[in-house]
Amino acid sequence: MKFARIALPALLAGSVAVPAFAGSLEPTVVEPVVTPVPVPVAVGRDWTGFSGGIQLGYGSFDTDGTPDDYEEAMTYGLKSYYDYDMGDWVLGGGVQYDWSDADLGAAGDLDGILRVGARAGYDMGNTMVYGTGGYAKAYTSGGDIDGGDSNGYFAGIGTETFLTDNWTVGTELTYNEFTEFDADDMELKNTQFNVSLNYRF
């Protein structure tokens, strides 16, 4: 009788608990949480505007039609450009002048080279890779023959990279050719590599 008093309440409690336990076996649907994927933002520079810089270079000077026809020398100069950023592409134009003390033998000394031309570049963000070309002029003095100055042309490739918001460093390799000296058969071919430091306004 004592056992019945203990077992009966336990049995009743079990009959209530079983449905509750059975109910917990039903699958619970969890709504998926959708997290937006961050969209990468392109990091680039605006190349539009004026720039001015100084440059240091080294070149070979091959002078045909003179007794001494080859020289290598350092150069130093100034440059100024205006560029327009069109998105992936950059178009611009400018002027450079390099001073030199290259000895051209009988043709005298090469005082400097002026370049006026255009460039078209690909915008890679902090760096622009470009091709360039245009008009060039060689200035000479002294010498045993009347070489004079000569018009010519130049073509080349280069890079420019931002160091800060306004300062850039550039490299440029150009080929320059001059065939209009006063002396007959005199030609000057110059391959030159320049490194520049520029301020972009």
Side-chain angles (χ1 to χ4, degrees), residues 2-145:
K2 185 177 180 182
F3 174 79
R5 288 199 207 104
I6 297 172
L8 184 58
L11 212 52
L12 291 172
S15 67
V16 174
V18 168
F21 179 76
S24 66
L25 294 177
E26 294 180 3
T28 303
V29 178
V30 179
E31 293 293 333
V33 178
V34 179
T35 304
V37 178
V39 177
V41 178
V43 178
R45 298 284 188 169
D46 185 2
W47 294 91
T48 299
F50 286 99
S51 66
I54 57 175
Q55 58 190 18
L56 183 66
Y58 189 82
S60 64
F61 303 87
D62 188 1
T63 309
D64 295 332
T66 64
D68 301 315
D69 61 0
Y70 188 80
E71 173 78 4
E72 293 184 1
M74 298 289 295
T75 62
Y76 59 95
L78 300 173
K79 63 187 299 188
S80 180
Y81 273 80
Y82 182 85
D83 297 301
Y84 184 73
D85 194 331
M86 304 175 64
D88 289 338
W89 299 95
V90 179
L91 296 178
V95 58
Q96 304 181 36
Y97 190 88
D98 286 322
W99 285 272
S100 172
D101 60 355
D103 182 2
L104 304 182
D109 296 325
L110 177 66
D111 296 328
I113 294 177
L114 171 71
R115 301 182 194 88
V116 180
R119 64 180 179 181
Y122 181 71
D123 184 354
M124 302 174 64
N126 278 340
T127 298
M128 172 175 60
V129 179
Y130 63 86
T132 183
Y135 168 81
K137 185 167 186 175
Y139 297 91
T140 65
S141 62
D144 300 329
I145 61 175

